[in-house]
Amino acid sequence: MNTPEFRAPRGTFDLVPPRGEAMLAVRDALAAPLRTAGYGYVETPSFEETTLFARGVGESTDIVTKEMYSFTTRGGDDVTLRPEGTAPVLRAVLENGLHRGALPVKLWYSGSYYRYERPQKGRYRHFSQVGAEILGTEDPASDAELIVLAVDAYRALGLTGVRVLLNSLGSHESRPAYRAALQEFLRRLDLDDETARRVEINPLRVLDDKRPEIQKALTDAPVITDFLSPSDRAHHATVRSLLTAAGVAFEDDPRLVRGLDYYTRTLFEFVHDGLGSQSAVGGGGRYDGLSELLGGPALPGVGWALGADRTLLAMEAEGLPLPGATGVQVFAVPLGEEAAAWAFSLVTSLRREGVTADFATGGRGLKGAMKAADRSGAKYAVVVGERDLAEGVAQVKDLATGEQQAVSVNGLVTHLKRLV
Ligand code: AMP
């Protein structure tokens, strides 16, 4: 086989059928519960001013320090391909004044995101997320609602192995005391220079360090849940009881921090054990101070992003059939030129009537055309030759049983509509 001259860039891949359709179906399924719950759809540009992410995601995060696709445009603007969706959506809400209307604002979105990460299975430089945000309320019911909607989406796809990890990072009432206690603990450890620096800038991020020796050293680290203020504790308790009432099982994970700086109170991650090291299929949390960070008014919010690529990998890991594999219901096999023109108009009429249909092209002989019919996934082939046309009939063949029946061309569309 020839080696092609061009390949998809490192860390990216193409989606070709049938995985292409499967990805579309996964995105649709992840969004379906949101649409049922009345969320509005929002679309923002694929790139934004770099400072939006520097401020909105956090200067000390891996995303901002190492992973952004940033460049200066010909006009001298510094822009970045979006590494995540929340900061852009919040920017759009503030810019379009949605926060001045009825609150809360509930939004969903779907698209491509870009991070310059070290590629491996489940970790790509271009990936696909479906996201949701609720803005303008501190109600813990919103946190619980989002978690339930994500769990329902995974369930609808047939996934049984998704676990919900839950934590509270506390608000400004709880965090300073915890941060100080954690710092004090971490300063006593023997850490490399970079980690020691992180202890001073953003100690919570150290909890996210995946190295086994660090995780071991953290065994006795103080946990945030011991430092929650009464109102943060009450918020967390309500989220938990609403989840339980909704039949959603969750695991408390007091070490859960996640890689973005803006989270407050509720934090959660959806993980799947069939994925190896990149086990997070989705995650999110509350971000009550983010609007102010972006120059907006106080506008509490909570949201999540579900990774479509990893959701598809999780389905494959569970051996679920790929969703969305299409194919057509009817395949027309014309024999001869006159029949070809007739088949073309038959297929056009069928499609306009909502019957999925295709036809053999290029004047293929019966054998090749029937092979194409089998490959198309169709249940019925309509075989038509010049003699059939002269008699005003077409042969409708059931491709599963091989049974064939002559049907009058006049009633053919109606007949096929009834059959499929
Ligand atoms: P995050 O914004 O990092 O919480 O990402 C939310 C979800 O998007 C994760 O749980 C993953 O499923 C997915 N995701 C994040 N980064 C990547 C990546 N580099 N490649 C594939 N999926 C990703």
Side-chain angles (χ1 to χ4, degrees):
M1 217 169 76
N2 287 345
T3 314
E5 190 175 346
F6 294 107
R7 292 175 167 280
R10 186 165 141 74
T12 73
F13 61 91
D14 303 308
L15 284 160
V16 297
R19 263 184 134 248
E21 282 85 7
M23 182 61 95
L24 266 185
V26 164
R27 285 197 206 110
D28 279 353
L30 294 178
L34 301 167
R35 308 182 77 169
T36 308
Y39 286 57
Y41 177 69
V42 60
E43 219 171 277
T44 64
S46 312
F47 58 89
E48 296 274 353
E49 259 179 66
T50 296
T51 35
L52 174 73
F53 299 115
R55 255 205 265 158
V57 178
E59 298 275 7
S60 73
T61 57
D62 282 353
I63 291 182
V64 172
T65 55
K66 302 183 202 156
E67 296 171 1
M68 295 208 299
Y69 279 91
S70 301
F71 56 100
T72 306
T73 65
R74 288 170 198 275
D77 297 325
D78 289 320
V79 300
T80 293
L81 299 183
R82 59 184 179 193
E84 62 99 46
T86 300
V89 166
L90 189 48
R91 193 242 344 112
V93 165
L94 296 173
E95 182 174 338
N96 292 279
L98 301 188
H99 60 300
R100 288 194 292 268
L103 294 177
V105 181
K106 296 186 177 186
L107 300 170
W108 76 276
Y109 52 94
S110 174
S112 291
Y113 296 84
Y114 310 86
R115 293 182 195 173
Y116 192 79
E117 299 202 76
R118 195 170 49 76
Q120 65 180 95
K121 190 175 179 213
R123 186 162 71 190
Y124 311 110
R125 292 180 171 175
H126 165 256
F127 56 96
S128 174
Q129 288 182 340
V130 172
E133 317 287 345
I134 302 180
L135 295 153
T137 175
E138 287 189 53
D139 193 327
S142 293
D143 312 35
E145 165 177 316
L146 280 166
I147 294 171
V148 172
L149 292 174
V151 167
D152 285 355
Y154 294 130
R155 277 187 192 160
L157 282 166
L159 286 167
T160 53
V162 177
R163 294 186 290 126
V164 181
L165 307 182
L166 184 68
N167 193 17
S168 171
L169 287 183
S171 65
H172 58 93
E173 296 169 359
S174 317
R175 200 88 73 86
Y178 175 62
R179 193 177 188 275
L182 183 63
Q183 259 173 342
E184 202 187 307
F185 173 87
L186 294 172
R187 283 185 191 131
R188 277 189 262 123
L189 300 179
D190 182 23
L191 297 167
D192 60 89
D193 290 351
E194 198 191 327
T195 312
R197 252 195 312 278
R198 190 171 283 166
V199 170
E200 301 312 317
I201 304 166
N202 194 344
L204 268 72
R205 291 297 320 283
V206 179
L207 299 177
D208 214 15
D209 198 317
K210 299 285 186 287
R211 288 174 293 177
E213 66 275 18
I214 301 280
Q215 281 304 317
K216 190 154 171 265
L218 291 173
T219 313
D220 297 322
V223 292
I224 176 75
T225 26
D226 290 339
F227 288 77
L228 293 181
S229 69
S231 68
D232 286 347
R233 195 175 295 277
H235 186 100
H236 196 42
T238 306
V239 174
R240 295 163 54 92
S241 67
L242 289 173
L243 290 179
T244 303
V248 169
F250 55 87
E251 298 164 35
D252 291 306
D253 183 353
R255 291 279 162 71
L256 184 67
V257 283
R258 293 173 41 75
L260 298 91
D261 269 358
Y262 49 59
Y263 289 116
T264 54
R265 288 187 162 171
T266 310
L267 191 71
F268 50 87
E269 195 150 82
F270 308 107
V271 295
H272 193 283
D273 297 324
L275 294 184
S277 65
Q278 302 305 310
S279 61
V281 288
R286 180 163 277 286
Y287 47 83
D288 290 345
L290 183 58
S291 173
E292 290 99 314
L293 271 181
L294 301 184
L299 186 68
V302 55
W304 53 233
L306 311 184
D309 309 86
R310 286 189 202 165
T311 303
L312 186 53
L313 290 174
M315 295 184 68
E316 286 168 338
E318 288 196 17
L320 293 166
L322 282 188
T326 42
V328 293
Q329 296 164 306
V330 175
F331 196 90
V333 173
L335 304 168
E337 242 170 72
E338 204 187 323
W342 180 85
F344 185 87
S345 63
L346 170 73
V347 163
T348 302
S349 306
L350 285 170
R351 290 172 181 167
R352 286 179 177 158
E353 288 293 319
V355 177
T356 60
D358 198 4
F359 62 101
T361 49
R364 241 185 289 191
L366 182 62
K367 212 170 141 210
M370 288 312 287
K371 231 188 235 166
D374 282 331
R375 262 201 309 270
S376 76
K379 276 185 77 133
Y380 298 97
V382 177
V383 185
V384 61
E386 312 282 302
R387 188 141 47 100
D388 294 311
L389 278 190
E391 289 171 14
V393 294
Q395 308 296 326
V396 175
K397 183 170 183 178
D398 182 324
L399 289 171
T401 64
E403 267 168 54
Q404 191 166 305
Q405 187 193 359
V407 178
S408 157
V409 294
N410 291 326
L412 189 54
V413 170
T414 319
H415 178 80
L416 288 166
K417 249 181 107 170
R418 217 175 309 123
L419 274 184
V420 297

